[in-house]
Amino acid sequence: MLEPALATLESEAIYVLRETFGQFERPVLLFSGGKDSIVLAHLAARAFAPARIPFKLLHIDTGHNFEETLTFRDNLARELRADLLVRYVEESIQAGRVTEEHGPEGTRNALQTRTLLDALEELRADAALGGARRDEEKARAKERFFSHRDRYGQWDPKNQRPELWNLYNGRKTPGEHFRIFPLSNWTELDIWSYVKARRIALPSLYFAHERRVFNRRGTWLAESELLPLLPGEKIETHQVRFRTMGDITVTGAVFSDASSLDAIIEEVRTFRVTERSGRGDDKRSEAAMEDRKRAGYF
């Protein structure tokens, strides 16, 4: 039994998912194996049960993901009987569509944008459902539930459509598409509370475990051959977990002993910074996320 606040959020998300299915011809659900996309996939399964999820799941794989996340992604797609499509940043690099960043702080995170836009064009997708939430980051707080993208995949945060009385306008011209965010009004605490209430499994990385990590300008990154150490950095072993999941080159860990859902929920109640505060890609500039989103990022 869901508590009333969670039941309202669940009902809202299911309504948005069904509106998406009703208004668009070829929607896809962006699925990374992170907790928000996992919750969104479970909501989609609930929204259309007993039928299968009517959207294809689409993952843009940088090639630098945590192995645990990819294994979980594949297993969940099978469990939900969902069609999973994977498109690779490596193929975009090989095709000359993007240029790889080199050096000890190189990342493929921003390169996903080109791969995503190419995939949406290939699939002729007119809507892409995502698990982004407004509480995560200030640029994401500007998004509507139905967020319009022009024919180049770009977003104009100053020119968005009003959304009154739960009425969503999905009208577009050929070549344009929408990004749709059913979890817009959820918080990190809501996600964890819902995971507990609905008994949703998550990758082990979200729970406290021992890991070899190193500190780079205040962010604890996982040891990886993709991350050569800079002068002064050293590998240490700590009890950590990850609040958000992304490319291993930019995803920071937090020190934690929370190894159960109850412990994580209590821990989340005490946090005073957003979960993306540990994401290195968001620290490249004051408006890093908004700049990426304007260009077509998730």
Side-chain angles (χ1 to χ4, degrees), residues 220-258:
W220 289 92
L221 297 171
E223 179 187 31
S224 168
E225 62 182 15
L226 298 169
L227 290 166
L229 298 182
L230 299 176
E233 296 176 343
K234 63 177 181 178
I235 299 295
E236 303 175 25
T237 300
H238 290 288
Q239 185 91 345
V240 301
R241 72 177 191 87
F242 295 89
R243 291 177 67 188
T244 179
M245 203 61 58
D247 194 310
I248 198 170
T249 63
V250 296
T251 303
V254 295
F255 291 177
S256 175
D257 294 320

Side-chain angles (χ1 to χ4, degrees), residues 67-78:
E67 192 58 42
E68 298 95 324
T69 306
L70 297 181
T71 299
F72 191 95
R73 175 201 70 186
D74 296 340
N75 290 339
L76 182 61
R78 282 193 292 270

Side-chain angles (χ1 to χ4, degrees), residues 168-183:
Y168 304 119
N169 181 358
R171 292 183 180 178
K172 59 177 183 56
T173 60
E176 299 175 343
H177 74 276
F178 277 78
R179 304 291 171 84
I180 299 175
F181 304 105
L183 304 182

Side-chain angles (χ1 to χ4, degrees), residues 62 64-66 107-109 245-251 279:
T62 66
H64 294 171
N65 299 97
F66 289 92
T107 174
R108 290 182 172 183
N109 198 58
M245 203 61 58
D247 194 310
I248 198 170
T249 63
V250 296
T251 303
R279 290 288 290 269

Side-chain angles (χ1 to χ4, degrees), residues 28-32 37 58-62 65 87 89 108-117 119-120 128-133 136-137 139-141 143 147 149 153 155 177-181 245-247 276 279 281-282 288-298:
V28 295
L29 192 155
L30 302 178
F31 183 72
S32 66
S37 67
L58 174 63
H59 181 213
I60 305 302
D61 189 342
T62 66
N65 299 97
R87 295 296 181 266
V89 171
R108 290 182 172 183
N109 198 58
L111 306 188
Q112 294 177 91
T113 299
R114 183 70 268 155
T115 310
L116 171 62
L117 294 177
L120 295 178
L129 289 147
R133 311 185 322 266
E136 288 182 90
E137 200 274 340
R140 286 182 165 170
E143 292 274 21
S147 190
R149 297 299 194 267
W155 172 60
H177 74 276
F178 277 78
R179 304 291 171 84
I180 299 175
F181 304 105
M245 203 61 58
D247 194 310
R276 290 193 68 92
R279 290 288 290 269
D281 48 331
D282 289 356
M289 173 61 85
E290 182 160 329
D291 291 342
R292 294 200 306 275
K293 287 180 73 64
R294 284 174 180 270
Y297 187 74
F298 303 103

Side-chain angles (χ1 to χ4, degrees), residues 119-169:
L120 295 178
E121 182 176 359
E122 170 204 344
L123 300 170
R124 297 188 298 136
D126 51 1
L129 289 147
R133 311 185 322 266
R134 288 177 179 143
D135 76 317
E136 288 182 90
E137 200 274 340
K138 58 188 178 182
R140 286 182 165 170
K142 299 177 182 180
E143 292 274 21
R144 298 287 196 265
F145 278 95
F146 275 34
S147 190
H148 177 263
R149 297 299 194 267
D150 67 18
R151 63 177 57 252
Y152 304 106
Q154 297 178 330
W155 172 60
D156 181 1
K158 295 182 179 180
N159 185 26
Q160 298 189 84
R161 301 173 182 180
E163 293 182 340
L164 306 174
W165 305 293
N166 294 329
L167 297 175
Y168 304 119
N169 181 358

